[in-house]
Structure formats: structure tokens, C-alpha cells
Amino acid sequence: MTDPDRAPGFGVYVHWPFCAAKCPYCDFNSHVRHQPVDQAHFVRAFEAELSHMRARTGPREVTSVFIGGGTPSLMQPATVGAILDAIGRLWTVAGDAEVTLEANPSSVEAERFRGYRAAGVTRVSLGVQALNDADLRFLGRLHDVAEARRAIEIARDTFPRLSFDLIYARPGQTPEAWGAELEQAIALAADHLSLYQLTIEEGTPFFALHAARKFAVPDGEHAAELYRMTQQVTAARGLPAYEISNHARPGAESRHNLVYWRYGEYVGVGPGAHGRFVEDGRRIVTITERHPETWCGLVEDRGHGVVDGEILTRSQEADEFLLMGLRLAEGIDLARYEALSGKPLANDRIALLAGEALLAPIGNSRLRATPAGMIVLDAVVADLAR
């Protein structure tokens, strides 16, 4: 695994908010437009907001860029190239920086992927979500399994690194069915898989349908069984979990996501993007306007679309560090927690949770959640931090 003592890094997150269709489970900031998006207009806005963020962060070395959405693979390669060029002008970009672009299989074209690679993208993350057509239709996806397999093949031929997502704990999904699908996924995967349990988010079409009992998701024990199987199968096949939902061959972990989980700094640009970075000695949160055209207007008027945020207290920083870091198999650095919070974690709380097999010390310097602790991590963190 990537060295846990390495500095977390500094990342840039770029949010492209447009999708061809809104998936019924999705609560991300995504929008459907029935007329072509003026990509040149949005590029100018991205460039302006990136300049604003550079003025706030000062000179930094960018170790990762993540272009998420929405569906960034609806962007023209020239759009991606212009955004990456702007980042390169404003900050120093590390020679081995990871540059990830999210893509949906339905929008994958070999020529466009070659264009993204030429623009500087080094890693693609595909939203496959399922490897059977019935569940893809249920999830509202626009692709079928054949398209997904073709997209994975094109991505493997084009980019140095590849990841794809699957959603499990779907209605009626048995351990046997998920195990077989997981084996298919591992056979297709290059070096990284993101495996998420289906969650019913308020405000989505699935929330209303689930409330009306149009479908049911696995209960807690069934879902936990599927989670345990996921950990066991991926570990046995050489893609162990390095984070609750993310699995990689050693050395292929997502560097950008490690910036988040190791509590590094990052700027967020684009509609609805969040950032967390140190300014004038204090960690601040920035949140931009969610509506794409409104965000563009704000950027044109004042150079950025930031509409919300806060300055974090030491206690808030420490709590966030704990919540993010314990998601990782490598756990947290206890000395860093103490430096952030001004006090160490309580030894009696650690001992109690370790006695319940929910936490495990790593020598005298680190602490991690056990597999059992990962399943109830929110409760573990609440108990540990009180």
C-alpha cells in the first residue's frame, strides 16, 4: 500500500455537473440539459475560479486532479485539456501527478478517450454499477453489460490506470449472485475497484419508491454479510480493501481519494464543489453554488462561485481527521490527531473499543478500525471522540 507516512498531498477537484440522464439513486449535483452545453463558456468560468483558488492557496504542488460529476466523459477532450492547462499554469504539478476522469460506459468512445489521454488524463473511473442487464435497467443506467465490457477494454488500452464502480446490496441480490458478479468484476479489473452498497438517499426517485414499498433493499444483517463477502473475495484475489468501499492492487490506490482520507488539502471548483485547505494558518471549507448557470453568472460577476463555507475549529478538524482516517485500512497517526485536537485520544475509550474488537492499535503510533468496526464506523468514531 502507499506509504501512510507520506504527506497527504494537495489535490484539485473539478466538478462537471451535466449528465445525459439522472439516475434514480443519485443525489450528486448533476443536471440534464436538452440543448448542447456551451463548453467554452464553462471553460472560461473554470479558469476564473481556479485563478481565485490559486490566489487563496498560494503556490502549491498539485499531486492529484479529479474531474468528477455529473458525467465528465460528455466533455470534449479540448475542454478537459483547457482545464488541465489552467491548473498547470496556476500551480506546480508533480511529475507523477494522478489525473482521474470519471466516465459512463454509454458515453465512451475510443477516439474521445485517446483525446483525454493526450490532454493529460492518466486514470479513468468508469461508472459500470452492475454486470447484469436487469439490474442496470433498475438502476436507470443507459448502458448494457456489453457496452460496459467494451468501455473497460477501451479504457485498459488507453490509460495507465483504470477503476470502475459497482453497486451491490441491490433488491433481491443473494450472496451467491453477488459473489459470481464480483468474480466477473475482478477478472475485468485492471488494478482498482470501488464497491458501494446501494443506499436510499432522501430527495431521489428511489427514496419515494422505497417509501411506497415498490422495492426493498437487503436488511442490515444481509447487507453486512454481503460486505464481509466482498472483503474476503477481493482480498483473496489480490485487490484488498484499503478503504471501506475501495479495493486495489498494492500501489494502485486512488491518490486523489487518499488526499481526502488522509486529511490533506484540496480545492474544489465548479458547480457544487467543496474544498478544504489551509488559509492564513486555519483550515477552511469552501462550497460553491450548485446550479450550473447560476454558478457561471457568479464567476463572471466576481471571479468565483463560492456561496458557503466555514473556518474549522481544532475540535472540528480532529473529528474530521478521525472520521476520514479510520475509513482506511492503514488507520490514523495518533500524534497527528493530538496535534490537530490539542489532546490525545482517551486510552480508556481505545481500550474499550479494542476489547470489543472494533479498533486495533498498530504499535504505539497508529490506530485502525477492524473489519467489524468498519461496518459500524460512525458509531465507533462517535464513541471514540466523545
Side-chain angles (χ1 to χ4, degrees):
M1 178 163 182
T2 306
D3 181 2
D5 294 322
R6 179 181 175 182
F10 177 78
V12 176
Y13 175 75
V14 178
H15 191 79
W16 182 257
F18 301 110
C19 281
K22 184 80 171 176
C23 295
Y25 58 84
C26 177
D27 70 338
F28 293 162
N29 187 39
S30 58
H31 303 260
V32 177
R33 296 291 180 265
H34 299 295
Q35 298 297 322
V37 173
D38 184 347
Q39 296 196 20
H41 186 198
F42 275 85
V43 164
R44 291 191 293 273
F46 280 119
E47 290 172 338
E49 191 163 74
L50 284 164
S51 294
H52 170 79
M53 293 300 179
R54 168 59 175 79
R56 297 185 67 172
T57 66
R60 305 295 293 273
E61 182 180 65
V62 173
T63 56
S64 64
V65 178
F66 196 101
I67 305 173
T71 306
S73 52
L74 295 174
M75 302 163 79
Q76 296 298 323
T79 301
V80 174
I83 292 169
L84 295 179
D85 286 348
I87 293 169
R89 288 193 304 271
L90 293 165
W91 290 278
T92 299
V93 177
D96 64 346
E98 174 190 271
V99 181
T100 300
L101 180 134
E102 288 185 335
N104 279 344
S106 55
S107 60
V108 167
E109 301 170 7
E111 183 176 352
R112 182 173 290 186
F113 264 30
R114 285 192 290 270
Y116 295 146
R117 182 70 187 99
V121 174
T122 63
R123 181 177 180 271
V124 70
S125 178
L126 288 169
V128 172
Q129 312 308 8
L131 288 172
N132 73 70
D133 287 336
D135 280 357
L136 285 172
R137 288 191 294 272
F138 167 74
L139 293 170
R141 305 301 286 168
L142 298 180
H143 63 274
D144 58 23
V145 173
E147 283 181 291
R149 287 177 173 273
R150 177 175 174 272
I152 291 168
E153 181 180 346
I154 292 170
R156 292 186 70 163
D157 288 344
T158 308
F159 299 97
R161 297 177 59 203
L162 160 70
S163 178
F164 63 86
D165 300 355
L166 291 179
I167 294 172
Y168 67 102
R170 306 189 295 260
Q173 190 174 45
T174 64
E176 294 74 22
W178 172 233
E181 189 171 346
L182 189 52
E183 292 285 357
Q184 290 183 57
I186 292 168
L188 290 168
D191 57 18
H192 191 287
L193 286 172
S194 295
L195 306 170
Y196 302 107
Q197 291 197 15
L198 177 63
T199 55
I200 308 302
E201 303 290 350
E202 191 168 355
T204 65
F206 268 7
F207 185 84
L209 290 169
H210 184 258
R213 300 186 178 182
K214 299 296 184 181
F215 68 87
V217 295
D219 62 23
E221 185 49 46
H222 186 181
E225 181 184 2
L226 292 171
Y227 174 81
R228 287 189 289 268
M229 167 185 277
T230 302
Q231 311 313 298
Q232 292 164 2
V233 171
T234 53
R237 294 292 301 274
L239 278 84
Y242 68 97
E243 187 269 346
I244 287 179
S245 301
N246 285 272
H247 306 255
R249 303 195 190 284
E253 299 85 3
S254 167
R255 294 181 211 161
H256 188 81
N257 285 339
L258 283 173
V259 170
Y260 300 155
W261 297 320
R262 288 177 173 168
Y263 210 50
E265 298 176 58
Y266 57 96
V267 297
V269 299
H274 291 214
R276 271 172 167 73
F277 54 89
V278 174
E279 183 178 41
D280 298 328
R282 297 189 292 182
R283 186 177 291 258
I284 61 134
V285 177
T286 62
I287 303 171
T288 60
E289 165 62 43
R290 291 173 60 87
H291 184 265
E293 289 76 15
T294 304
W295 170 80
C296 261
L298 288 173
V299 176
E300 289 169 351
D301 289 344
R302 60 186 191 179
H304 66 88
V306 177
V307 294
D308 200 1
E310 61 179 319
I311 299 171
L312 297 178
T313 65
R314 292 182 71 179
S315 176
Q316 288 173 319
E317 284 192 77
D319 287 349
E320 287 190 345
F321 170 73
L322 202 61
L323 184 61
M324 299 301 283
L326 285 177
R327 295 176 64 93
L328 290 167
E330 70 187 28
I332 62 165
D333 179 344
L334 291 169
R336 189 173 175 213
Y337 175 86
E338 186 172 350
L340 287 169
S341 68
K343 62 182 181 180
L345 285 168
N347 286 328
D348 60 337
R349 304 308 306 167
I350 294 175
L352 178 63
L353 292 165
E356 295 174 352
L358 299 175
L359 287 177
I362 308 173
N364 295 319
S365 63
R366 301 187 70 83
L367 183 69
R368 67 176 179 84
T370 65
M374 290 284 192
I375 295 175
V376 292
L377 187 60
D378 286 352
V380 169
V381 170
D383 203 5
L384 189 60
R386 70 183 186 180

